[in-house]
């Protein structure tokens, strides 16, 4: 098989890249290890920056998003049992964020891919890359039992943190910046109307809690738990009791309901530099992971491929590799901004196991300053709604 761009991974990064290339008349083939049902049902993040929404809408895949999203003009920071609103809209000259599940974005992009008739193969095995150092890279894989080889002009590694593309780069070329945490997030979906209109981030001495939502009838809630905790340690009544304590605020009630989905995800920070080698370009979680506290993961993935698509289009139209050569440098500036923001939000809001009273007091002081100062609230707001991708 031949195509212009081989794309490994059908998450938001790979699917959006295929879509943007298609709009520019560049052919691609998308290879995904999992089944369509699996990627469409996998519950992930749910906050879209305005720039992400704008790109989805402008590129023609935002119709259902505009109908079903929940537009939020602010977020709430909760600590000491008190509620503090950060007015994102007022502080950023009218920008907002949208709550819309990542798997809904994935469904919309798969539908667009099928409507365009573009190749998208699910359940592929044994993906390997070769020739990425030259200008004729290839992706080999098995599909439906048959071995295949896809030759292309460039390969996009959009296969997430555990994918095969990043490890395909020869040793010594990439530098990795990993950071692990001693805690994780237990995330649940509950069939109950959200008890809040805006996303609530709560710091409590027992640990962090987050109240988000997916629809007027479905709540999305998270608890900071130990990285070693298993789901068996968290029966429903313990989850609700802990949420009640950590989210408690005067005059506010948390409504409980049946828990319909649950998972524990470790927190991780990771960046690889550069995000490219030869004719392989890494995007999304394959190149970087942020802890979810800043809600940046999916937005970074989409911003990566917006920049990458432009470079690939130029290359495929014979315009040369200048834009592509600058891809990693362009994106790493924003990636590190997002790391800094996510790390700051994470440490300010969580109870870290080695926090003594002193650190705890400093984190509270930081929170009080953030909600009390116009300058500090503005700084949070402009980064939460998202910086320009370049
Ligand atoms: N071959 C083919 N596909 C693979 C392989 C492989 N060897 N390894 C992994 N994949 C697929 C995964 O099954 C997954 O569907 O690559 C896809 C990667 O998608 P995501 O993990 O969703 O990553 P990305 O598109 O970069 O989106 C980042 O996902 O984890 C969240 O918080 C993160 O919101 C962010 C978003
Ligand atoms: C979510 O709705 O899943 C969500 C919201 C805010 C975050 C992370 C996740 O910071």
């Amino acid at each position: 098989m031949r195509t212009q761009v081989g794309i490994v991974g059908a998450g938001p990064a790979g699917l959006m890249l295929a879509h943007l290339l298609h709009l520019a008349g560049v052919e691609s083939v998308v290879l995904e290890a999992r089944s369509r049902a699996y990627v469409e049902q996998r519950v992930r993040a749910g906050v879209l920056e305005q720039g992400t929404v704008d790109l989805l809408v402008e590129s023609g895949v935002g119709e259902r998003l505009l109908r079903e999203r929940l537009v939020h003009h602010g977020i709430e920071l909760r600590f000491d049992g008190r509620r503090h609103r950060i007015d994102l809209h007022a502080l950023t000259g009218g920008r907002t964020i949208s709550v819309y599940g990542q798997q809904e974005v994935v469904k919309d992009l798969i539908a667009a891919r099928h409507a365009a008739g573009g190749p998208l193969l699910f359940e592929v095995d044994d993906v390997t890359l070769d020739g990425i150092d030259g200008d004729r890279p290839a992706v080999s894989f098995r599909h439906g039992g048959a071995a295949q080889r896809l030759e292309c002009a460039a390969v996009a590694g959009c296969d997430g943190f555990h994918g095969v593309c990043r490890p395909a780069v020869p040793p010594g070329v990439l530098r990795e910046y990993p950071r692990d945490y001693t805690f994780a997030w237990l995330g649940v979906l509950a069939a109950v109307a959200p008890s809040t209109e805006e996303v609530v981030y709560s710091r409590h001495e027992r640990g962090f809690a987050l109240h988000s939502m997916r629809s007027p009838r479905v709540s999305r809630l998270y608890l900071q738990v130990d990285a070693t905790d298993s789901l068996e340690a968290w029966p429903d009544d313990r989850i609700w009791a802990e949420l009640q304590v950590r989210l408690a605020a005067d005059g506010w009630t948390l409504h409980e309901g049946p828990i319909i989905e649950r998972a524990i995800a470790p927190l991780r920070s990771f960046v690889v530099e550069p995000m490219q080698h030869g004719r392989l370009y890494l995007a999304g979680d394959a190149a970087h992971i942020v802890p979810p506290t800043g809600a940046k993961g999916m937005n970074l993935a989409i911003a990566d491929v917006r920049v990458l698509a432009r470079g690939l289009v130029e290359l495929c139209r014979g315009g040369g590799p200048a834009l592509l050569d600058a891809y990693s440098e362009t994106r790493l500036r924003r990636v590190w901004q997002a790391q800094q923001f996510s790390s700051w939000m994470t440490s300010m809001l969580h109870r870290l196991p080695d926090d003594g009273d002193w650190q705890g007091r400093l984190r509270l002081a930081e929170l009080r300053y953030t909600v009390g100062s116009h300058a500090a609230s503005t700084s949070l707001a402009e980064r939460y709604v998202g910086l320009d991708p370049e």
Side-chain angles (χ1 to χ4, degrees):
M1 286 164 90
R2 279 202 60 80
T3 190
Q4 290 176 292
V5 181
I7 301 178
V8 186
L15 290 166
M16 188 65 186
L17 179 62
H19 178 62
L20 293 173
L21 293 176
H22 167 75
L23 292 180
V26 172
E27 281 177 11
S28 65
V29 173
V30 185
L31 306 174
E32 166 59 46
R34 303 284 193 158
S35 68
R36 177 174 181 180
Y38 182 90
V39 299
E40 290 192 341
Q41 268 146 42
R42 184 168 43 187
V43 179
R44 306 291 262 298
V47 172
L48 303 184
E49 295 172 355
Q50 178 150 344
T52 305
V53 171
D54 292 346
L55 183 66
L56 291 164
V57 172
E58 282 158 19
S59 67
V61 284
E63 197 198 320
R64 189 167 69 98
L65 163 67
L66 289 180
R67 237 181 14 242
E68 296 183 9
R69 69 173 172 166
L70 304 166
V71 178
H72 289 195
H73 289 75
I75 56 169
E76 191 179 312
L77 297 184
R78 219 172 254 197
F79 54 93
D80 283 344
R82 296 221 184 83
R83 310 169 57 182
H84 307 268
R85 181 164 189 264
I86 304 285
D87 191 334
L88 300 174
H89 188 259
L91 292 168
T92 60
R95 296 177 80 77
T96 59
I97 51 135
S98 296
V99 174
Y100 188 70
Q102 178 169 319
Q103 83 268 36
E104 304 306 323
V105 174
V106 164
K107 280 182 206 163
D108 295 343
L109 289 169
I110 290 175
R113 183 74 179 162
H114 282 153
L120 163 54
L121 309 183
F122 289 100
E123 299 180 73
V124 303
D125 289 320
D126 300 339
V127 174
T128 56
L129 311 187
D130 64 88
I132 53 173
D133 284 303
D135 54 10
R136 291 221 139 321
V139 187
S140 301
F141 59 98
R142 299 184 68 81
H143 187 240
Q148 310 223 36
R149 191 177 146 86
L150 178 65
E151 293 177 358
C152 31
V155 177
C158 304
D159 50 349
F161 183 68
H162 300 286
V164 295
C165 291
R166 193 178 65 251
V169 175
V173 171
L174 302 179
R175 173 143 184 215
E176 301 193 341
Y177 297 83
R179 184 162 174 225
D180 287 329
Y181 298 78
T182 51
F183 50 91
W185 278 18
L186 162 62
V188 302
L189 278 181
V192 57
S195 306
T196 173
E197 287 187 357
E198 294 178 339
V199 177
V200 178
Y201 291 85
S202 184
R203 181 187 165 89
H204 190 275
E205 61 187 34
R206 294 178 60 87
F208 170 71
L210 170 57
H211 190 337
S212 181
M213 61 221 61
R214 284 294 176 272
S215 77
R217 284 171 305 282
V218 177
S219 297
R220 177 80 171 142
L221 297 133
Y222 297 92
L223 283 171
Q224 173 187 356
V225 300
D226 284 345
T228 52
D229 273 11
S230 63
L231 283 174
E232 291 79 71
W234 287 93
D236 291 16
D237 51 355
R238 182 175 179 208
I239 293 174
W240 284 116
E242 201 62 31
L243 286 167
Q244 291 288 2
V245 171
R246 295 192 197 176
L247 287 168
D250 285 345
W252 184 85
T253 310
L254 173 65
H255 302 293
E256 301 184 9
I259 292 180
I260 51 180
E261 212 272 345
R262 73 194 70 217
I264 292 181
L267 264 70
R268 178 178 283 133
S269 302
F270 176 84
V271 180
V272 72
E273 290 191 359
M275 291 167 57
Q276 64 194 79
H277 174 69
R279 283 291 171 83
L280 170 66
Y281 304 89
L282 302 172
D285 278 14
H288 42 70
I289 302 264
V290 285
T293 326
K296 290 284 164 250
M298 176 171 32
N299 296 292
L300 279 179
I302 300 277
D304 281 352
V305 299
R306 161 190 231 152
V307 175
L308 179 56
R310 220 178 297 140
L312 289 168
V313 168
E314 190 175 76
L315 179 84
C316 292
R317 287 182 178 162
L323 263 184
L324 266 182
D325 289 349
Y327 165 68
S328 175
E329 203 185 316
T330 304
R331 286 305 300 151
L332 281 171
R333 286 171 191 273
R334 281 293 177 259
V335 167
W336 280 111
Q337 289 289 348
Q339 289 292 357
Q340 193 279 331
F341 177 66
S342 306
S343 162
W344 173 69
M345 286 280 279
T346 302
S347 57
M348 182 168 68
L349 287 160
H350 288 73
R351 167 92 208 161
L352 275 62
D354 53 359
D355 267 7
D357 291 344
W358 175 263
Q359 274 301 338
R361 289 290 185 280
L362 289 190
R363 296 188 202 290
L364 270 177
E366 177 86 25
L367 269 170
R368 288 196 191 107
Y369 175 64
T370 301
V371 301
S373 149
H374 184 78
S377 302
T378 305
S379 167
L380 189 161
E382 71 180 9
R383 290 180 291 164
Y384 197 87
V385 301
L387 302 172
D388 189 280
E390 293 166 75

